[in-house]
Amino acid sequence: YLPMMYTGPRTAVRQPAASPGAQPLASVALPEHLADQFPDDRHELQPGDRVLLVVEDDANYAGILVDAAHAAGLKAVVTARGSEALDLALQYKPVAVSLDVFLPDMLGWNVLSQFKRTLETRHIPVQILTMDEDRQQGLSRGAFSYLSKPTSTEGLNAALARINDYV
């Protein structure tokens, strides 16, 4: 552990400890949600549209999921944050959710637990899409299905077809 403040032997005033060659860190602007990086359908929804909520922090997978949703006749709403997922589900009333386990702000297992504890969302089928191999954990927590990354387009389309048949 290193002290954040240095008190020199000849001064009573505390000063930040300086490290040799230290330069100030540049601030990085992060988008509010993944839709800022990858467009979704939230602004084009019409009454009666069937919505897939995509909770995914990888823009490539989010794009693949949106394309697969469109191929399955669904519209897609995308977020990279687990903390937004429940609010978006309550707002857009999705017929299904595709959920990554490793999100930047929380684990997908916590999101799944929130969905299953909330009366308005517990009926929504949640498909887990992750590199984590703990399939049983997802299914025991109430997930509808479980896909391991990387998955093929055919596997993803088949999974969405199962969800469509279910709902």
Side-chain angles (χ1 to χ4, degrees):
Y1 296 94
L2 297 175
M4 296 299 293
M5 303 295 280
Y6 173 73
T7 305
R10 297 180 185 187
T11 177
V13 178
R14 299 189 76 171
Q15 301 172 3
S19 60
Q23 297 178 6
L25 295 175
S27 63
V28 177
L30 296 174
E32 279 297 310
H33 49 73
L34 193 58
D36 293 339
Q37 295 177 2
F38 192 90
D40 63 11
D41 301 318
R42 73 180 67 203
H43 301 296
E44 302 161 13
L45 294 176
Q46 301 296 320
D49 283 345
R50 294 162 46 99
V51 175
L52 173 69
L53 176 59
V54 176
V55 186
E56 173 64 60
D57 65 329
D58 183 320
N60 292 326
Y61 266 105
I64 291 167
L65 288 163
V66 169
D67 290 343
H70 291 163
L74 301 169
K75 298 283 179 96
V77 172
V78 180
T79 183
R81 301 185 191 285
S83 58
E84 291 182 342
L86 186 60
D87 290 337
L88 289 172
L90 294 171
Q91 180 179 355
Y92 292 106
K93 311 271 190 265
V95 296
V97 177
S98 179
L99 176 63
D100 186 11
V101 170
F102 299 106
L103 300 168
D105 61 338
M106 64 192 322
L107 285 175
W109 303 127
N110 296 336
V111 177
L112 179 60
S113 294
Q114 287 177 352
F115 269 77
K116 295 307 171 184
R117 283 193 313 252
T118 303
L119 185 61
E120 297 85 0
T121 58
R122 69 172 50 159
H123 68 282
I124 300 173
V126 177
Q127 168 185 280
I128 301 292
L129 180 65
T130 187
M131 294 189 315
D132 188 8
E133 294 297 323
D134 195 357
R135 176 185 180 91
Q136 191 57 41
Q137 181 176 353
L139 297 177
S140 68
R141 290 180 181 232
F144 177 79
S145 63
Y146 186 99
L147 291 174
S148 294
K149 285 182 182 177
T151 185
S152 66
T153 304
E154 294 81 19
L156 187 56
N157 289 339
L160 286 177
R162 280 194 305 275
I163 288 174
N164 251 341
D165 289 345
Y166 177 78
V167 297

